[in-house]
Amino acid sequence: MNPQIAPSILAADFSNLQREVELLNASAADFIHVDVMDGIFVPNISFGIPVTEAIHRHATKPLDVHLMIVNPELYLEPFVKAGASIVTVHLEACTHLHRTLQEIKRLGASAGVALNPHTPIELLTEVLEEVDVVCVMSVNPGFGGQKFIENSYTKVANLKNMILKKGSKALIEVDGGVSEQNARRLVEAGADILVAGSFVFKAPDPIAAIASLKSITI
Ligand code: DX5
Ligand code: ZN
């Protein structure tokens, strides 16, 4: 089994966004990961709906939209209309997570829920059957290029067990500090989707960097 790869456009050259999207189109990437930040849920502002829509206009890969925003339930429809195939909300940002996940699916997208590094997987117990993707944050969200948090291996392995026990079909995505150094161990622990920003876009050959993650076989 090979992992699915979701390069994060956050690490791309925003002044050449079309060229960067075309690069990802030509790669082995399975998704384009789109990091939306509001400056409130996380201490950084990235971009929002119009930029997501512009990425979608040039993308031949599905968009995996990671909403690092408060009140994400207010913006589900605009992001699905802008082209999101997966909409991921943060558990910590949702008072009515069950309702929000159902709404994402009603709009025709896959429903993702992201967990900050401090958030225990057990908080998913009652909603796991509504979830298509669990995004395990392996850095504190807000910035690309941060150091991978080592506890994430155990968290992914425990989550995999929980998913298997419950007979859930949820995929595990890992986001933050992913590189050739940790990718194999993450896939062995149960990761299905690897997000990678800096590792891809800071590489001399981003296409080869994506291929190297994609070629991991367990
Ligand atoms: C962090 C974002 C990540 C980030 C990953 O807040 O959610 O998706 O872009 O970037 P790297 O791979 O550089 O840690
Ligand atoms: Zn992300």
Side-chain angles (χ1 to χ4, degrees):
M1 198 210 78
N2 297 88
Q4 300 192 68
I5 310 302
S8 169
I9 203 81
L10 185 68
D13 176 358
F14 291 168
S15 65
N16 285 297
L17 209 42
Q18 180 176 349
R19 191 193 66 194
E20 300 285 62
V21 171
E22 284 168 356
L23 180 144
L24 298 180
N25 289 344
S27 77
D30 297 278
F31 297 98
I32 299 179
H33 186 83
V34 177
D35 283 309
V36 176
M37 303 180 184
D38 66 354
I40 300 173
F41 182 72
V42 289
N44 194 13
I45 299 175
S46 57
F47 48 73
I49 296 154
V51 172
T52 303
E53 198 274 322
I55 293 166
H56 183 245
R57 222 178 305 133
H58 296 289
T60 58
K61 313 268 181 180
L63 302 191
D64 166 31
V65 175
H66 179 190
L67 297 180
M68 286 163 275
I69 65 175
V70 297
N71 300 326
E73 64 282 354
L74 300 179
Y75 303 99
L76 302 175
E77 188 162 3
F79 277 106
V80 172
K81 282 197 172 140
S85 292
I86 304 174
V87 177
T88 296
V89 295
H90 266 265
L91 180 145
E92 304 83 6
C94 293
T95 309
H96 301 289
L97 179 61
H98 183 276
R99 178 189 287 154
T100 301
L101 295 171
Q102 287 199 317
E103 180 63 8
I104 294 170
K105 290 189 288 186
R106 193 191 64 79
L107 291 165
S110 295
V113 55
L115 304 182
N116 278 338
H118 74 277
T119 301
I121 57 168
E122 286 73 19
L123 291 183
L124 289 172
T125 309
E126 311 303 332
V127 289
L128 203 53
E129 66 192 43
E130 303 296 333
V131 180
D132 297 307
V133 179
V134 180
C135 178
V136 173
M137 292 306 302
S138 42
V139 298
N140 286 291
F143 303 92
Q146 301 182 82
K147 190 174 174 292
F148 178 82
I149 296 171
E150 296 284 319
N151 181 58
S152 311
Y153 299 119
T154 314
K155 194 170 183 179
V156 168
N158 291 341
L159 176 60
K160 186 70 176 185
N161 278 337
M162 182 175 164
I163 286 172
L164 291 174
K165 253 193 220 146
K166 288 218 167 234
S168 151
K169 290 196 170 51
L171 298 177
I172 301 178
E173 178 176 63
V174 181
D175 186 5
V178 172
S179 74
E180 244 169 356
Q181 305 300 313
N182 50 32
R184 167 169 290 280
R185 203 169 149 196
L186 285 169
V187 177
E188 284 169 354
D192 302 291
I193 307 173
L194 300 175
V195 176
S198 312
F199 175 71
V200 167
F201 284 99
K202 303 275 179 280
D205 182 349
I207 301 253
I210 294 166
S212 76
L213 296 179
K214 185 72 192 172
S215 70
I216 293 170
T217 314
I218 59 154

